[in-house]
Amino acid sequence: MKKNYRKYIMNAALITAMTMGSCTKLEESVYDRVDESQFLTRRDDVIRDFLRPFEHAYWSIQGNDVYAVGENSTDEIGTFNRQGDWQDGGYYQRMHYHTWTNQDGFTNGAWTAFYQGIVLATNSLQDMEGIADPTRLNVTPTELADFKAELRTLRAWFYIRAFDFYRNIVIVDDVKNTTVSGPQVAPADMFKYIEEELKAALPDLPKRETLGEKGIGRWTQAGAAALLVRLYLNAQAYIKQDRYADCAAVCQDIIDGKYGSYQLDTRWDAPFDYTNTSLNSETIYGFPSSLSRTHWQYDGGMYFWAMTYDAAPLYCGFTDFGRSNPRFALQPGRNVDSVEYNFQLGKPFVKFQHYPDDLRLKLYKNLGNSKREGMFLYGYLPFQRNVNGNPVPDTVRGNKGDYPLFIRDQVGWFLGTKPGQPVADKESNMNHADHNSGVFFAKYPVYPTPDPNRITSAYAEVRLSEIYYSLAECKYRSGDKAGAAALLNAVRVRNYPEGSTSLYKPDGSQLNDQEILDEWGREFLGENRRRTDLVRWGVFNTGTWWDKQPDADDHTAIFPIGRDILGANPQFKQNPGY
């Protein structure tokens, strides 16, 4: 792609105009404009144009604090004030307490992240629609139809996320001839628009087996169908319509192979390992990762900062990125005296411990040859320190004192206190934590630096497990507990040793609303869907969890539109309650 065209699509004026409704006259920057006939002159130009929005899409899973607020506003993860670290003017505390305002950075940032993606996808889609004779560019008509369908699907993915986040959003379907956005549309109209876009894209999308081993990162029929599942599953929360029957029908079609052949992985960690790009993986849609290029889920916006200082280089042996930073940790299940809290929500680590033979409960440990065990970092994290050429046993320490860290499912000021010893300071809240506080999690492996497969797992945005769990919830809501239990167990069996009694009884008698919600939390811990699940189950605003009382009302089920976004477009109206 020619350099001036790349500048054109990244032009800040264009993005500002389309996402914020600015009246900027783009005609004043003629040097940034290139006629389609000048830059789409060969197949490579078309491919690059097609792929450009996908780069931004991968970044957007965590950029501008989209991940941070999605997780920190729930009962699952917290960014605690650790003796002054991560205090940040109360920014993360406001996420936790649901006291955010439209001046908090994420309220502008998320809108920008989503709508930059929508603008880029629309720009590329319009380029594709402007190709009258694809064979002139060495592109087949089938390929061109596929490219257009994938861009519509990608744009729908951005729209669903913006819709979930703000609810009252705007449709952008032309960036070539329009420099101002229209008004926000009603949620019911937005829902219908996304649904129609996905249905229209489906027939021209490929199936995974058509794309082969290099199909990771491409939207397929199953990927678009999975987005319909997300839309229908949350329709009650989004537009006050029950679409569970529609959700169940699409889920069953995906499982039955109507949209391509997929199978559940047989190891709990396989969906997050470097093999998750293969045709045998349950990954329906993923963003490909590599050490030398993009690896956004491994960066500070997500999982690399879900561990304490020096855990990566010293305990895991991964030195490519240097030190980590304890930005994200599990909210505690126990007070400073190790007594379990009595609220029903939250307590994520305790919820795993309800089934004590869960293989994921093991302490995270690299086993060599691109293998690991366990999903959590807790207790002491030992390593061998080199002293004058001799290995000396040591354990990971923090940055607030020269004492070994003992990471625990509690939040408070433990400092150098050894496990089992009481502490006089009983305070436990978002503003009173140290570097021992909160269990850390390693959903994606942190293999040591010599390992050739380190940082190469694709980010699994859509997994077949989600389809099983969505269908299970639909069956549960319809009264079919046995059917729900069978679907959940089909996934859960890989989490426990052979012959485990932790699987649900065939009649589903152990299932209730709380257990369904707990199981969503266990399987999808840290995958930035918890807020949506809590809203769907009606407890995001009414629930109680660690250091969090119910909200005064339900207006915080959606976020405010950022001050900068509102200020740039006088047509926009703030969301109710803000």
Side-chain angles (χ1 to χ4, degrees):
M1 188 180 300
K2 294 185 178 180
K3 184 177 180 181
N4 51 2
Y5 174 64
R6 181 175 180 84
K7 185 177 181 182
Y8 162 62
I9 63 171
M10 291 301 294
N11 186 278
L14 172 65
I15 293 174
T16 300
M18 293 309 305
T19 61
M20 297 185 181
S22 167
C23 295
T24 301
K25 293 183 178 180
L26 296 180
E27 290 78 10
E28 294 177 359
S29 300
V30 177
Y31 53 86
D32 280 342
R33 303 290 295 274
V34 180
D35 185 79
E36 179 266 345
S37 63
Q38 292 181 281
F39 68 84
L40 289 183
T41 60
R42 56 179 182 165
R43 178 180 175 84
D44 283 352
D45 295 336
V46 178
I47 300 300
R48 291 190 183 99
D49 193 359
F50 164 65
L51 291 176
R52 175 62 190 92
F54 289 82
E55 298 175 25
H56 174 79
Y58 190 8
W59 170 86
S60 77
I61 63 172
Q62 53 79 52
N64 290 355
D65 287 335
V66 169
Y67 180 81
V69 71
E71 288 289 1
N72 283 337
S73 62
T74 76
D75 62 341
E76 185 170 82
I77 288 171
T79 300
F80 318 129
N81 175 3
R82 297 178 183 272
Q83 298 169 267
D85 293 348
W86 293 109
Q87 200 282 329
D88 288 41
Y91 181 58
Y92 297 100
Q93 285 80 4
R94 290 192 293 278
M95 292 181 184
H96 180 81
Y97 298 128
H98 298 185
T99 55
W100 45 72
T101 73
N102 73 334
Q103 297 183 49
D104 280 312
F106 72 84
T107 61
N108 292 301
W111 183 284
T112 301
F114 299 145
Y115 272 94
Q116 281 181 347
I118 289 167
V119 165
L120 288 168
T122 302
N123 184 77
S124 294
L125 177 60
Q126 288 187 277
D127 287 343
M128 301 295 131
E129 290 173 338
I131 299 174
D133 181 9
T135 59
R136 177 178 61 85
L137 304 171
N138 198 24
V139 175
T140 69
T142 299
E143 285 179 315
L144 183 61
D146 168 12
F147 294 162
K148 290 189 285 188
E150 288 195 55
L151 288 166
R152 292 179 80 173
T153 304
L154 179 66
R155 187 172 62 178
W157 175 73
F158 277 115
Y159 273 125
I160 289 174
R161 297 164 69 212
F163 187 50
D164 180 82
F165 210 88
Y166 297 106
R167 204 78 82 241
N168 298 294
I169 60 174
V170 61
I171 294 174
V172 175
D173 54 13
D174 175 28
V175 299
K176 299 291 189 183
N177 309 297
T178 306
T179 58
V180 295
S181 76
Q184 294 148 292
V185 300
D189 292 335
M190 193 71 233
F191 186 100
K192 183 179 180 182
Y193 172 79
I194 297 171
E195 179 185 22
E196 289 177 347
E197 281 289 285
L198 290 169
K199 286 184 173 181
L202 256 170
D204 290 326
L205 288 168
K207 293 183 178 180
R208 178 168 72 168
E209 46 268 37
T210 302
L211 296 172
E213 291 288 351
K214 295 184 179 180
I216 193 73
R218 299 281 300 276
W219 285 102
T220 61
Q221 289 186 8
L227 295 184
L228 283 172
V229 167
R230 290 183 178 179
L231 198 63
Y232 293 147
L233 185 66
N234 294 289
Q236 189 68 54
Y238 290 164
I239 56 172
K240 302 189 186 317
Q241 290 184 18
D242 182 337
R243 300 292 297 272
Y244 293 117
D246 292 322
C247 180
V250 179
C251 286
Q252 194 64 63
D253 283 343
I254 295 173
I255 292 171
D256 290 344
K258 178 179 178 179
Y259 302 114
S261 178
Y262 297 85
Q263 303 83 34
L264 291 170
D265 284 314
T266 57
R267 297 190 343 261
W268 74 263
D269 59 328
F272 319 106
D273 214 338
Y274 72 98
T275 55
N276 69 353
T277 62
S278 72
L279 286 175
N280 295 322
S281 169
E282 70 174 48
T283 305
I284 292 177
Y285 183 79
F287 291 106
S289 172
S290 70
L291 177 64
S292 60
R293 301 190 69 180
T294 48
H295 39 250
W296 288 113
Q297 77 272 24
Y298 279 107
D299 283 9
M302 291 180 73
Y303 301 123
F304 192 64
W305 282 9
M307 58 179 65
T308 193
Y309 295 112
D310 289 333
L314 299 183
Y315 179 70
C316 297
F318 177 76
T319 59
D320 294 80
F321 293 174
R323 304 181 84 191
S324 185
N325 201 326
R327 186 184 191 186
F328 302 115
L330 301 189
Q331 292 180 29
R334 297 172 173 82
N335 65 19
V336 295
D337 293 321
S338 204
V339 177
E340 183 181 336
Y341 292 113
N342 59 12
F343 36 78
Q344 294 300 305
L345 291 169
K347 305 184 293 187
F349 195 64
V350 169
K351 299 296 175 63
F352 276 89
Q353 291 175 318
H354 283 177
Y355 303 96
D357 60 344
D358 193 325
L359 299 172
R360 297 168 294 185
L361 277 170
K362 292 183 178 182
L363 175 66
Y364 178 92
K365 183 179 180 182
N366 286 326
L367 303 176
N369 298 319
S370 304
K371 292 182 170 54
R372 53 90 172 247
E373 66 179 9
M375 196 169 77
F376 299 103
L377 294 167
Y378 52 80
Y380 293 118
L381 301 179
F383 69 98
Q384 296 288 326
R385 185 180 296 279
N386 188 311
V387 179
N388 297 323
N390 299 310
V392 176
D394 201 346
T395 188
V396 170
R397 300 163 191 269
N399 69 335
K400 297 291 184 180
D402 189 28
Y403 51 80
L405 292 180
F406 184 83
I407 301 165
R408 58 199 85 195
D409 187 26
Q410 301 160 268
V411 168
W413 275 28
F414 303 96
L415 306 179
T417 304
K418 294 182 178 180
Q421 292 183 347
V423 294
D425 185 346
K426 306 299 183 184
E427 187 175 354
S428 178
N429 55 50
M430 285 289 293
N431 278 301
H432 198 72
D434 72 351
H435 288 268
N436 298 283
S437 298
V439 171
F440 296 101
F441 59 103
K443 193 118 198 193
Y444 286 77
V446 187
Y447 291 137
T449 288
D451 194 306
N453 295 309
R454 67 195 187 281
I455 316 298
T456 57
S457 304
Y459 178 70
E461 167 62 20
V462 184
R463 300 193 279 123
L464 185 60
S465 296
E466 177 185 342
I467 308 306
Y468 273 74
Y469 274 52
S470 298
L471 182 54
E473 181 174 320
C474 292
K475 287 184 177 291
Y476 172 82
R477 289 179 180 274
S478 71
D480 183 6
K481 286 189 175 184
L487 286 159
L488 294 174
N489 281 340
V491 179
R492 296 176 76 243
V493 66
R494 66 193 183 196
N495 299 328
Y496 309 101
E498 186 176 353
S500 172
T501 59
S502 292
L503 295 179
Y504 294 132
K505 296 177 181 178
D507 63 1
S509 57
Q510 297 152 288
L511 297 181
N512 53 43
D513 290 5
Q514 187 61 54
E515 181 60 22
I516 291 285
L517 196 51
D518 288 349
E519 183 53 31
W520 271 113
R522 282 186 288 264
E523 178 61 28
F524 294 92
L525 176 74
E527 295 185 50
N528 208 8
R529 64 167 296 131
R530 184 64 173 175
R531 173 185 155 273
T532 303
D533 292 337
L534 292 177
V535 170
R536 183 175 69 256
W537 281 93
V539 294
F540 181 73
N541 304 107
T542 62
T544 299
W545 51 86
W546 173 77
D547 195 29
K548 173 69 176 65
Q549 296 299 311
D551 300 345
D553 56 46
D554 64 357
H555 80 277
T556 52
I558 56 176
F559 294 112
I561 298 172
R563 180 179 61 179
D564 294 344
I565 305 299
L566 284 175
N569 191 337
Q571 296 185 84
F572 286 176
K573 295 180 180 179
Q574 182 58 275
N575 282 331
Y578 292 109

